[in-house]
Amino acid sequence: MIRIVGLLLLLVFTLFAFWVMAKIVIESNHIINKRMKKAGHKGSYAQYKKNINQEDIRKKSKKRRK
């Protein structure tokens, strides 16, 4: 009986932990999508980050030339 109750508590805790992790992932994706829309970018997050990194490299190279 104690083992069954312990297993049930462990299962409930595990499901709760997975729910919390899923909620965090969903919220972070929502924040990222809002930033992408605000920046006017259409496409995947990887493309968005790649474009930002390329713009940063261009800005740094322009500063070095001056």
Side-chain angles (χ1 to χ4, degrees):
M1 182 70 179
I2 293 174
R3 286 184 179 176
I4 294 172
V5 172
L7 286 173
L8 287 175
L9 288 174
L10 182 64
L11 178 66
V12 169
F13 176 74
T14 305
L15 289 175
F16 179 74
F18 281 129
W19 177 77
V20 168
M21 288 187 288
K23 189 74 171 167
I24 290 170
V25 169
I26 291 168
E27 288 297 321
S28 64
N29 285 339
H30 179 68
I31 292 169
I32 289 170
N33 287 338
K34 281 176 31 181
R35 286 182 187 166
M36 286 174 50
K37 285 181 183 177
K38 188 175 180 182
H41 182 75
K42 296 178 182 176
S44 70
Y45 179 69
Q47 291 171 344
Y48 174 69
K49 288 298 285 184
K50 184 177 178 183
N51 289 342
I52 289 176
N53 289 338
Q54 288 176 350
E55 289 174 8
D56 289 343
I57 291 170
R58 287 182 194 136
K59 288 178 185 177
K60 288 178 184 176
S61 65
K62 284 182 183 178
K63 287 181 183 178
R64 289 178 186 164
R65 290 179 190 163
K66 291 181 180 180

